Amino acid sequence: MASIAVISACLALGTWVWKGWEAESQWESVRHYARGKSLYEEKQYGQALLLFQKASRRMENDPEVHLYLALCHDHLDQPILAEKAFEKAYRKGPDLPRVIYRKGLFHLKMKKYDRASALLSDYLRHRPEDYEGRRERALAYEGMGAFEKAKEERNRADFLQAREYESKANRHEEEREYHQALEQISQAIELYPCEVYHLRKGKWLFQLGYYEECYRHFVSVLQDQKSVEMEEWLLKAAEKMQQYEVAYQQGISLHERKPRGEFSLVLGRVAFHCGRYEKAVEYLGEVISDTAFPPSEKADRKSTRLNSSHVSQ
């Protein structure tokens, strides 16, 4: 009985020692992995590779470890070893976007365009808003000879990145940081020129008092596309620049197409500055009459007058 107790005690002690060694070994692997990542970020790929190899002994099923092994081999111009490590990382983590993406980039680099396209398409199902991923897929399409698809993908990437710049611009506007907003919306326009972005940029230029820049901006844009709202801001900028004759001609054109009180007021002012006093009286007269207002506004004004009359009685 005593011998059995001794054997049991030895087994228990052995198990405890084993578990302790196992835990320590696992912790050591985690430390190797963390240090390897730091060295990788410092572009010390050879030293990082050694640490990832040590870490992989106890972290065999971790796809990130194999991914870093692959990346190190790739940076060290060891494509065969890199491909093996990428395959292993993919087997261990077939649904991890980062693994899919980096493996796709590796195949793109190796000019295996079909495989790269399939992987990048899989990645974009996980990250459809990633514009850089779309540009990489465009390169794969080009390698496959699908030039029209590549063009569509680049356009989509530009649109997504421009929308990101627009979001940043809007946040700056909320904080009344108009200079920063201008920088961001200008970046958006470079990628994806559209009326909304051009209009926003012109408005912010006007609000900052850059009237000449605002005017030039809208003149340039209106050469390629028509927009009544842009023409409105062009008129306002010309007035602020004291280019009254230019503003007057612009105002007449707008008034003919879209008569309303606000235009009549601005047009009346610039007509006065141009010495067209009769026209100034005519346009300013519209401001205080119903002729410059749409039917819905007329009804509101009539209702207001009736209410006022009722109260006075």
Side-chain angles (χ1 to χ4, degrees), residues 166 170 185 189 192-204 217-218 221 225 227 229-230:
E166 181 200 12
N170 291 339
I185 207 65
I189 289 171
Y192 195 80
C194 66
E195 181 178 338
V196 173
Y197 297 164
H198 280 303
L199 187 58
R200 200 160 294 172
K201 179 177 180 177
K203 284 182 178 180
W204 290 337
H217 171 71
F218 283 131
V221 174
Q225 56 183 291
S227 166
E229 195 168 0
M230 285 191 198

Coordinates of all heavy atoms in Angstrom, one line a residue, residues 166 170 185 189 192-204 217-218 221 225 227 229-230:
E166 N -14.6 63.0 -47.4 CA -15.8 63.8 -47.2 C -16.3 63.7 -45.7 O -16.6 64.7 -45.1 CB -17.0 63.3 -48.1 CG -18.2 64.1 -48.0 CD -19.5 63.5 -48.5 OE1 -19.4 62.2 -48.8 OE2 -20.5 64.1 -48.6
N170 N -16.6 66.8 -43.2 CA -17.9 67.1 -42.4 C -17.6 67.2 -40.9 O -18.2 68.1 -40.3 CB -18.9 66.0 -42.7 CG -19.4 66.0 -44.1 OD1 -19.3 67.0 -44.8 ND2 -20.0 64.9 -44.6
I185 N -11.9 68.1 -48.4 CA -12.9 68.0 -49.5 C -12.1 68.2 -50.8 O -12.5 67.6 -51.8 CB -14.0 69.1 -49.4 CG1 -15.3 68.6 -50.1 CG2 -13.5 70.4 -49.8 CD1 -15.9 67.4 -49.5
I189 N -12.3 65.7 -54.0 CA -12.5 66.1 -55.4 C -11.5 65.6 -56.3 O -11.8 65.2 -57.5 CB -12.5 67.7 -55.5 CG1 -13.8 68.2 -54.8 CG2 -12.4 68.2 -56.9 CD1 -13.8 69.7 -54.6
Y192 N -12.7 61.9 -56.8 CA -14.0 61.7 -57.3 C -14.7 63.1 -57.5 O -15.5 63.4 -56.6 CB -14.8 60.8 -56.4 CG -16.0 60.2 -57.0 CD1 -16.0 59.1 -57.8 CD2 -17.3 60.8 -56.7 CE1 -17.1 58.6 -58.3 CE2 -18.4 60.2 -57.2 CZ -18.4 59.1 -58.0 OH -19.5 58.6 -58.6
P193 N -14.4 63.8 -58.5 CA -15.1 65.1 -58.7 C -16.5 65.0 -59.0 O -17.0 64.3 -59.9 CB -14.3 65.7 -59.9 CG -13.8 64.5 -60.7 CD -13.5 63.5 -59.6
C194 N -17.3 65.6 -58.2 CA -18.8 65.6 -58.3 C -19.4 66.9 -57.8 O -18.7 67.7 -57.1 CB -19.4 64.4 -57.6 SG -19.3 64.5 -55.8
E195 N -20.6 67.1 -58.2 CA -21.3 68.4 -57.9 C -21.3 68.7 -56.4 O -21.0 69.8 -55.9 CB -22.7 68.5 -58.4 CG -23.4 69.8 -58.2 CD -24.8 69.8 -58.8 OE1 -25.0 69.1 -59.7 OE2 -25.6 70.6 -58.3
V196 N -21.6 67.6 -55.6 CA -21.8 67.8 -54.2 C -20.5 68.3 -53.5 O -20.4 69.2 -52.7 CB -22.2 66.5 -53.5 CG1 -22.2 66.6 -52.0 CG2 -23.6 66.1 -54.0
Y197 N -19.3 67.7 -53.9 CA -18.0 68.1 -53.4 C -17.6 69.5 -53.8 O -17.1 70.3 -53.0 CB -17.0 67.0 -53.7 CG -17.2 65.6 -53.2 CD1 -16.5 64.5 -53.7 CD2 -18.1 65.4 -52.2 CE1 -16.7 63.3 -53.2 CE2 -18.3 64.1 -51.7 CZ -17.6 63.1 -52.2 OH -17.8 61.8 -51.7
H198 N -17.8 69.7 -55.1 CA -17.5 71.1 -55.6 C -18.3 72.1 -54.9 O -17.8 73.2 -54.6 CB -17.7 71.1 -57.1 CG -16.6 70.5 -57.9 ND1 -15.3 70.9 -57.9 CD2 -16.7 69.5 -58.9 CE1 -14.6 70.1 -58.7 NE2 -15.4 69.3 -59.3
L199 N -19.6 71.9 -54.7 CA -20.4 72.9 -54.1 C -20.0 73.1 -52.7 O -19.9 74.3 -52.2 CB -21.9 72.4 -54.1 CG -23.0 73.3 -53.7 CD1 -23.0 74.6 -54.5 CD2 -24.3 72.6 -53.8
R200 N -19.7 72.1 -52.0 CA -19.2 72.2 -50.6 C -17.9 73.0 -50.5 O -17.8 73.9 -49.6 CB -19.0 70.8 -50.0 CG -19.1 70.8 -48.5 CD -19.4 69.4 -48.0 NE -20.7 69.0 -48.3 CZ -21.2 67.8 -48.2 NH1 -20.4 66.8 -47.7 NH2 -22.4 67.5 -48.5
K201 N -17.0 72.7 -51.4 CA -15.7 73.4 -51.3 C -16.0 74.9 -51.6 O -15.4 75.8 -50.9 CB -14.8 72.9 -52.4 CG -13.4 73.6 -52.4 CD -12.5 73.0 -53.4 CE -11.2 73.8 -53.4 NZ -10.2 73.2 -54.4
G202 N -16.8 75.2 -52.6 CA -17.1 76.6 -52.9 C -17.7 77.4 -51.7 O -17.4 78.5 -51.4
K203 N -18.6 76.7 -51.1 CA -19.3 77.3 -49.9 C -18.3 77.6 -48.8 O -18.4 78.7 -48.2 CB -20.4 76.4 -49.4 CG -21.7 76.3 -50.2 CD -22.7 75.4 -49.5 CE -24.0 75.3 -50.3 NZ -25.0 74.4 -49.6
W204 N -17.4 76.7 -48.5 CA -16.5 76.9 -47.5 C -15.5 78.0 -47.8 O -15.0 78.8 -47.0 CB -15.8 75.6 -47.1 CG -16.7 74.6 -46.4 CD1 -17.8 74.9 -45.7 CD2 -16.5 73.2 -46.4 NE1 -18.4 73.8 -45.3 CE2 -17.6 72.7 -45.7 CE3 -15.6 72.3 -46.9 CZ2 -17.8 71.4 -45.4 CZ3 -15.8 71.0 -46.7 CH2 -16.9 70.5 -46.0
H217 N -13.2 79.0 -58.6 CA -13.6 77.5 -58.4 C -14.8 77.2 -59.2 O -14.9 76.3 -60.0 CB -13.7 77.2 -56.9 CG -14.3 75.9 -56.7 ND1 -13.6 74.7 -56.9 CD2 -15.5 75.5 -56.2 CE1 -14.4 73.7 -56.6 NE2 -15.5 74.1 -56.2
F218 N -15.9 78.0 -59.0 CA -17.1 77.8 -59.6 C -17.1 78.0 -61.1 O -17.7 77.3 -61.9 CB -18.3 78.6 -59.0 CG -18.7 78.0 -57.6 CD1 -18.8 78.8 -56.5 CD2 -19.0 76.7 -57.5 CE1 -19.2 78.3 -55.3 CE2 -19.4 76.1 -56.3 CZ -19.6 76.9 -55.2
V221 N -15.5 74.9 -62.6 CA -16.4 73.7 -62.5 C -17.6 73.9 -63.5 O -17.9 72.9 -64.2 CB -17.0 73.5 -61.1 CG1 -18.0 72.4 -61.1 CG2 -15.8 73.2 -60.1
Q225 N -19.9 71.3 -66.1 CA -21.2 70.8 -65.6 C -22.0 72.0 -65.2 O -21.5 73.1 -64.8 CB -21.1 69.9 -64.5 CG -20.3 70.4 -63.3 CD -20.1 69.3 -62.2 OE1 -21.1 69.0 -61.5 NE2 -18.9 68.9 -62.0
S227 N -25.1 73.8 -62.9 CA -25.7 73.6 -61.6 C -26.2 75.0 -61.2 O -25.4 76.0 -61.1 CB -24.7 73.1 -60.6 OG -25.1 73.3 -59.3
E229 N -27.4 75.9 -58.4 CA -26.9 76.2 -57.0 C -25.5 76.8 -57.1 O -25.1 77.7 -56.4 CB -27.0 75.0 -56.1 CG -26.9 75.4 -54.6 CD -27.2 74.3 -53.7 OE1 -27.6 73.2 -54.2 OE2 -27.1 74.5 -52.5
M230 N -24.6 76.2 -57.9 CA -23.3 76.7 -58.1 C -23.3 78.1 -58.7 O -22.5 79.0 -58.3 CB -22.5 75.8 -59.0 CG -22.0 74.5 -58.3 SD -20.8 73.7 -59.4 CE -20.9 72.0 -58.7

